């Protein structure tokens, strides 16, 4: 309250900015001088693109199985243990919801039963802040997006999957538009519109964009019509690589663009779709929308047996119980 | 058996298509939550009895422990964030060995975790992200998460004993201390800051080092050739 704290905070901000600018100037000079100790990563950092990442931090998280590299635009590259690399990025988007009077198919609102975006490309959520936390057991990349969304990308020591922990919500509806938030895993895998989902919870089923195996298909809604239920797993692959995403709950998923997997995370709507619920999917508590927290695990190994095990390990996670031990003599 | 049946019954209700897909009305969703939560709370009597039975079989003679489940999905746990010592019992329901990261919500500090055989294990402590702390429904004192990795055998459980260490120094600094720290850091920073001249000097030094290395390598090659000539002639 004596104003000292605010002064210190302001000074801290000034020193942070100064550090960032000085570092960049130094590196530019070093580049001009062709300073030999600059590595490829440092040279890349000298590009003129603005970066939101703290220049002083290490931009890698890694374990024995893989290494994730944080790019300027927050793209991540996976280096696998077999020396293969896979371009890989995690991005958050939202689909804005359709609104109609529900009198016919074209006038139907997006609701709890059906998902109907009113746009053909989702709106990307911009990144507000990003930081890396390193440690002996886990390293995390924490990213805060606009619209009350955060994601934590983790790599644990001796564990062969990437864990993505997300918190979404309350979804802002100040603009009176319902929204469906999605997460996209973008890779350079050439899957040619083919992806696999375990919609019945028993086996992986092959899906092809804009196609059904039993009949000729003309989709009036190419976005919603290509979404499928994901019980535990969705994956895309080509001859070299595979990217599998394991979900901790049933979610909707698709691969609308080559090399991408997108999965629905949270929905908040203002209108009903007249299929029976009778109310908009707008869950609130204390006048605020709900927040959703969940986890997804990403596997990059092309092994059905390993994936099946990891799916069950994720689905039947160890049961953790706590007991007070203040008065417990363990001697 | 009665409480297990109650949970089975609740799980039966949850097979309804609206419960699975989330297309129920809001008040029905709340009712589903109530049914499921009550059944889960009641069934806790089963693991409580089971674990205490196993503890006694292993020779434990103290009072019965009361096991509780926690809302780890929102990083909150009344026991781990309030008690100075607690046990964490982890059961692997699968028929094969698993390696799993465990995250326990706690208050910031230093901890000692002893695993099976009373051996101290490695842990990491990380702050809980603000987005999780701000979840509207969350009621918790926890500010950090205690992370450790467990390796569990098939269908087995392990107990870990966690103790909060006594504070050795104050975590909360006074305004004056903070101010002093800040100016010390500032001073260090400007002292260690590299100017363009420093960089040029470094570059010269590096170039000299490279030249020296090349020179040394040439000498070594010459020596080797000489050895080879001697060998050939002999």
């Amino acid at each position: 309250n004596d104003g000292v704290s605010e002064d210190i905070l302001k000074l801290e901000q000034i020193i942070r900015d100064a550090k960032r600018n000085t570092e960049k100037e130094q590196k530019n000079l070093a580049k001009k001088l062709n300073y030999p100790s600059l590595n490829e990563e440092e040279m890349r950092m000298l590009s003129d693109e603005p970066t939101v990442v703290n220049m002083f931090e290490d931009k890698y998280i890694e374990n024995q199985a893989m290494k994730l590299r944080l790019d300027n635009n927050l793209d991540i590259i996976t280096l696998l243990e077999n020396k293969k690399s896979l371009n890989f990025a995690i991005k958050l988007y939202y689909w804005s919801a359709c609104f109609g009077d529900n009198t016919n198919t074209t006038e139907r609102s997006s609701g709890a039963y059906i998902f109907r975006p009113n746009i053909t490309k989702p709106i990307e959520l911009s990144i507000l802040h990003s930081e890396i936390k390193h440690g002996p057991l886990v390293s995390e990349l924490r990213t805060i997006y606009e619209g009350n969304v955060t994601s934590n990308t983790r790599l644990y020591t001796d564990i062969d999957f990437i864990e993505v922990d997300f918190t979404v919500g309350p979804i802002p509806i100040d603009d009176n538009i319902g929204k469906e938030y999605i997460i996209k895993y973008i890779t350079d895998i050439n899957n040619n519109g083919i992806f696999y989902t375990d919609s019945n919870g028993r086996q992986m089923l092959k899906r092809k964009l804009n196609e059904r195996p039993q009949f000729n298909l003309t989709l009036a809604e190419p976005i919603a019509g290509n979404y499928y239920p994901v019980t535990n797993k969705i994956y895309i692959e080509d001859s070299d690589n595979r990217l599998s995403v394991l979900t901790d709950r049933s979610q909707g998923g698709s691969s609308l663009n080559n090399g991408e997997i997108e999965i629905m995370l949270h929905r908040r709507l203002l209108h009903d779709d007249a299929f029976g619920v009778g109310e908009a999917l707008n869950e609130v508590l204390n006048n605020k929308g709900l927040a959703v927290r969940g986890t997804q695990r990403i596997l990059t190994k092309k092994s059905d047996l390993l994936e099946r095990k990891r799916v069950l390990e994720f689905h039947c996670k160890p049961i953790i119980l706590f007991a007070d031990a203040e008065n417990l003599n363990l001697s | 058996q009665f409480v297990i049946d109650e949970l089975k019954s609740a799980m039966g209700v949850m097979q309804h298509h609206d419960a699975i897909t989330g297309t129920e009305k809001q008040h029905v969703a709340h009712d589903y939550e109530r049914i499921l939560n009550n059944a889960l709370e009641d069934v806790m009597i089963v693991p409580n009895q089971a674990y205490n039975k196993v503890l006694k079989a292993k020779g434990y003679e103290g009072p019965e422990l009361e096991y509780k489940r926690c809302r780890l999905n929102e990083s909150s746990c009344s026991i781990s964030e309030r008690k100075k010592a607690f046990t964490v019992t982890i059961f692997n329901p699968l028929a094969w060995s698993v390696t799993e990261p465990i995250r326990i919500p706690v208050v910031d500090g230093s901890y000692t975790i002893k695993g099976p055989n009373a051996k101290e294990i490695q842990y990491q402590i990380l702050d809980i992200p603000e987005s999780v702390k701000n979840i509207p429904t969350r009621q918790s004192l926890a500010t950090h998460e205690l992370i450790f990795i467990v390796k569990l055998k098939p269908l087995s459980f392990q107990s870990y004993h966690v103790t909060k260490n006594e504070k050795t120094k104050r975590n909360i600094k006074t305004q004056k201390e903070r101010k002093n720290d800040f100016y010390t850091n500032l001073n260090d920073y400007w002292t260690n800051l590299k100017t363009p001249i420093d960089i040029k000097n470094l570059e010269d030094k590096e170039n000299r080092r490279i030249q020296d290395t090349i020179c040394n390598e040439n000498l070594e090659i010459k020596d080797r050739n000489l050895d080879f000539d001697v060998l050939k002639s002999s």
Side-chain angles (χ1 to χ4, degrees):
Chain A
N1 291 330
D2 58 6
V4 177
S5 287
E6 287 110 60
D7 286 349
I8 290 180
L9 285 175
K10 273 179 200 164
L11 282 167
E12 279 173 349
Q13 185 58 44
I14 290 166
I15 192 81
R16 268 201 299 275
D17 293 346
K19 270 183 181 178
R20 198 174 295 133
N21 293 336
T22 318
E23 180 84 351
K24 201 160 185 178
E25 276 168 20
Q26 281 181 354
K27 283 188 183 295
N28 275 328
L29 182 75
K31 191 187 176 188
K32 275 182 200 162
L33 294 169
N34 198 20
Y35 186 53
S37 65
L38 272 187
N39 60 30
E40 201 180 306
E41 167 71 6
E42 284 169 329
M43 293 294 282
R44 200 174 40 73
M45 272 165 53
L46 295 177
S47 63
D48 293 324
E49 286 170 18
T51 170
V52 290
V53 183
N54 185 346
M55 300 280 280
F56 278 36
E57 278 179 351
D58 191 1
K59 291 174 189 59
Y60 294 98
I61 55 173
E62 62 181 319
N63 67 6
Q64 288 78 358
M66 60 188 87
K67 187 174 191 176
L68 300 183
R69 194 169 79 189
L70 176 64
D71 210 337
N72 276 348
N73 56 2
L74 294 164
D75 280 359
I76 297 168
I77 297 168
T78 312
L79 299 170
L80 301 174
E81 56 191 341
N82 54 8
K83 307 286 181 200
K84 272 192 206 169
S85 70
L86 176 71
N87 288 326
F88 172 57
I90 300 172
K91 288 185 179 175
L92 271 293
Y93 297 78
Y94 73 84
W95 291 103
S96 51
C98 227
F99 165 52
D101 58 13
N102 298 327
T103 49
N104 59 54
T105 316
T106 53
E107 295 298 323
R108 195 174 290 281
S109 294
S110 189
Y113 275 96
I114 57 160
F115 156 62
R116 296 191 69 211
N118 65 357
I119 45 177
T120 51
K121 278 189 177 170
I123 297 156
E124 188 175 345
L125 298 170
S126 54
I127 293 163
L128 302 178
H129 179 70
S130 182
E131 61 175 338
I132 295 179
K133 303 251 177 188
H134 287 284
L137 297 180
V138 60
S139 294
E140 289 190 0
L141 160 62
R142 296 182 175 186
T143 314
I144 303 172
Y145 299 83
E146 61 175 335
N148 297 333
V149 182
T150 56
S151 74
N152 285 357
T153 308
R154 298 185 186 124
L155 268 185
Y156 291 99
T157 307
D158 292 331
I159 290 179
D160 58 359
F161 53 75
I162 305 166
E163 193 169 84
V164 180
D165 185 290
F166 56 85
T167 313
V168 184
I171 295 176
I173 47 164
D174 310 335
D175 52 3
N176 282 324
I177 298 173
K179 296 173 188 74
E180 169 80 49
Y181 278 52
I182 57 159
I183 190 166
K184 265 195 191 187
Y185 298 102
I186 303 164
T187 67
D188 54 3
I189 292 174
N190 184 21
N191 64 315
N192 285 323
I194 294 168
F195 58 102
Y196 297 81
T197 60
D198 63 340
S199 301
N200 61 7
R202 288 185 171 81
Q203 76 219 78
M204 296 308 293
L205 298 168
K206 186 178 176 181
R207 312 294 190 184
K208 190 157 188 209
L209 214 56
N210 301 319
E211 274 190 35
R212 299 286 186 271
Q214 300 88 354
F215 55 94
N216 292 330
L217 178 74
T218 311
L219 279 176
E221 295 187 62
I223 311 295
N226 280 305
Y227 258 84
Y228 290 90
V230 176
T231 308
N232 287 123
K233 185 168 93 171
I234 176 170
Y235 75 83
I236 54 170
E237 68 177 358
D238 61 13
S239 54
D240 297 324
N241 293 308
R242 177 187 288 187
L243 185 91
S244 307
V245 181
L246 315 186
T247 60
D248 64 345
R249 68 200 68 183
S250 297
Q251 286 168 320
S254 184
S255 172
L256 296 176
N257 301 309
N258 203 28
E260 292 182 7
I261 288 179
E262 61 179 81
I263 296 172
M264 291 171 171
L265 300 180
H266 190 21
R267 191 184 296 187
R268 190 175 182 193
L269 300 171
L270 302 166
H271 303 281
D272 177 40
D273 56 14
F275 272 125
V277 195
E279 60 187 40
L281 187 68
N282 182 13
E283 294 166 285
V284 287
L285 194 81
N286 303 329
N287 293 325
K288 281 184 180 174
L290 291 193
V292 166
R293 191 186 187 193
T295 313
Q296 288 171 354
R297 287 180 176 175
I298 301 159
L299 297 172
T300 48
K301 259 189 187 170
K302 216 171 180 177
S303 161
D304 289 331
L305 180 66
L306 182 94
E307 281 183 3
R308 207 170 301 160
K309 283 183 86 173
R310 294 288 175 267
V311 164
L312 275 162
E313 284 167 15
F314 195 25
H315 194 73
C316 299
K317 280 174 97 171
I319 297 161
I320 307 172
L321 295 174
F322 296 84
D324 175 10
E326 276 185 350
N327 303 318
L328 188 67
N329 180 8
L330 281 183
S331 59
Chain B
Q1 191 57 49
F2 173 77
V3 288
I4 294 174
D5 286 345
E6 192 192 351
L7 181 58
K8 282 181 180 174
S9 168
M11 286 306 294
V13 176
M14 298 308 135
Q15 305 306 304
H16 185 261
H17 62 89
D18 277 346
I20 287 172
T21 54
T23 48
E24 71 279 53
K25 279 180 187 284
Q26 190 62 58
H27 67 273
V28 180
H30 291 320
D31 195 43
Y32 285 158
E33 285 160 17
R34 183 189 62 83
I35 293 169
L36 201 55
N37 193 63
N38 285 353
L40 279 169
E41 288 297 329
D42 290 349
V43 86
M44 280 306 294
I45 195 171
V46 178
N48 257 316
Q49 286 178 352
Y51 285 142
N52 278 304
K53 215 176 257 184
V54 177
L55 273 178
K56 273 188 184 153
K58 296 245 176 193
Y60 170 73
E61 288 171 352
E64 284 210 339
L65 295 180
E66 192 190 351
Y67 288 95
K68 285 186 176 168
R69 70 187 181 94
C70 281
R71 293 168 187 256
L72 297 180
N73 61 334
E74 54 177 37
S75 296
S76 89
C77 180
S78 62
I79 294 177
S80 64
E81 63 198 34
R82 282 166 206 270
K83 302 291 178 186
K84 282 179 185 165
F86 58 92
T87 61
V88 185
T89 301
I90 306 160
F91 173 67
N92 172 21
L94 295 169
W96 61 82
S97 300
V98 297
T99 305
E100 270 285 326
I102 306 291
R103 302 175 79 98
I104 311 291
V106 291
V107 177
D108 189 16
S110 160
Y111 288 82
T112 304
I113 308 180
K114 286 185 176 171
N117 305 326
K119 277 185 188 162
E120 205 171 314
I121 62 159
Q122 193 186 17
Y123 73 91
Q124 187 181 333
I125 195 157
L126 265 182
D127 58 311
I128 296 170
E130 287 301 313
S131 58
V132 176
K133 284 184 197 163
N134 296 337
I135 289 176
T137 49
R138 184 173 181 266
Q139 288 180 330
S140 173
L141 299 173
T143 55
H144 286 68
E145 275 183 323
L146 206 61
I147 303 155
F148 56 97
I149 293 173
V150 295
K151 288 181 180 168
L152 295 157
K153 287 180 181 166
L155 293 162
S156 74
F157 74 88
Q158 284 180 356
S159 283
Y160 292 81
H161 185 256
V162 185
T163 332
K164 190 163 195 248
N165 299 334
E166 291 296 323
K167 277 182 189 168
T168 49
K169 61 174 183 181
R170 270 186 307 167
N171 279 340
I172 302 161
K173 289 183 176 172
T174 60
Q175 293 280 12
K176 202 178 170 186
E177 283 170 331
R178 280 188 63 200
K179 206 172 168 182
N180 282 342
D181 281 359
F182 171 71
Y183 284 114
T184 314
N185 288 339
L186 188 69
N187 195 32
D188 287 352
Y189 172 69
W190 288 115
T191 314
N192 296 327
L193 191 67
K194 285 190 183 69
T195 62
I197 297 163
D198 291 335
I199 294 178
K200 185 76 177 69
N201 287 341
L202 280 171
E203 191 218 20
D204 291 345
K205 201 176 159 188
E206 181 70 15
N207 282 341
R208 275 201 301 278
R209 194 187 61 77
I210 291 169
Q211 278 170 6
D212 287 350
T213 317
I214 293 168
C215 199
N216 286 338
E217 277 174 9
N218 281 339
L219 281 174
E220 275 176 26
I221 293 165
K222 262 186 195 168
D223 285 350
R224 273 206 302 275
N225 285 343
L226 209 65
D227 289 350
F228 185 66
D229 288 344
V230 172
L231 190 71
K232 219 161 51 172
S233 64
S234 70

